[in-house]
Amino acid sequence: MFKKILLPTDGSDISNEAALQGINFASQNRAEVVALFVAPEYQYPVSIGIIPPTYPTEEEYEDSMKKIGLDYLQPIRDAAEQAGLAYSGEILFANATGPKIASFAQSSGCDLIFMASHGRTGLSHLLLGSVASKVLSTCTVPVLVYRRKNAPKPNATR
């Protein structure tokens, strides 16, 4: 049914767990897997008049984030290869992660996004936002949101 599945990751445990479950789902569909890490864009220190000598250059920052991204994508790559699935990986830069995932899925021809939800509720959801919610609200590609079976239940008295 699905031919090309996007597996976005932020390197967290839940994101890795979701990606591995996404590989299982892709195996059932014999689908191609596209892994994606969206790194924050470089930020210039605007609070001071000069850039401190210890502050990384934009090139150093991007190189560092690409290395981190490759580390995050490696378990997905390994699992896809072990499952005999076609794999590609991308590292992109954006401060608006959700819309970037959505636009990448659309422009790369993915027909499903399989991603984790950290399950934040209440104030933490308001302050930190939800990448999954932003993807769901901005994307025309179907999204399958993975949640842990043993996810902690929100405290109703908060």
Side-chain angles (χ1 to χ4, degrees):
M1 182 171 167
F2 297 105
K3 294 179 179 153
K4 193 172 186 180
I5 299 174
L6 178 62
L7 304 175
T9 185
D10 63 5
S12 65
D13 288 342
I14 182 68
S15 184
N16 290 337
E17 185 179 321
L20 295 179
Q21 290 299 321
I23 294 290
N24 290 337
F25 185 81
S27 290
Q28 295 169 10
N29 289 274
R30 301 304 308 158
E32 176 184 348
V33 170
V34 181
L36 175 66
F37 171 63
V38 180
E41 293 176 352
Y42 180 77
Q43 300 295 314
Y44 289 94
V46 294
S47 60
I48 55 178
I50 61 169
I51 297 177
T54 57
Y55 201 81
T57 66
E58 187 169 356
E59 184 177 286
E60 291 169 335
Y61 170 79
E62 287 183 1
D63 288 345
S64 173
M65 292 309 293
K66 286 177 184 176
K67 287 178 187 171
I68 290 169
L70 288 173
D71 287 344
Y72 290 167
L73 298 181
Q74 191 62 49
I76 302 169
R77 179 185 196 132
D78 293 343
E81 287 176 357
Q82 187 174 7
L85 300 174
Y87 168 88
S88 61
E90 288 287 332
I91 299 166
L92 303 175
F93 291 86
N95 288 330
T97 305
K100 190 66 166 184
I101 291 169
S103 68
F104 177 79
Q106 292 165 307
S107 67
S108 63
C110 293
D111 50 10
L112 178 72
I113 302 170
F114 192 111
M115 67 184 299
S117 171
H118 287 273
R120 293 185 186 104
T121 59
L123 186 59
S124 64
H125 176 78
L126 288 174
L127 294 175
L128 299 173
S130 169
V131 173
S133 292
K134 290 175 183 151
V135 171
L136 285 165
S137 67
T138 60
C139 194
T140 59
V141 174
V143 181
L144 195 156
V145 179
Y146 173 82
R147 300 230 12 216
R148 282 188 171 137
K149 289 181 183 175
N150 298 328
K153 303 268 190 256
N155 188 346
T157 60
R158 286 188 192 175

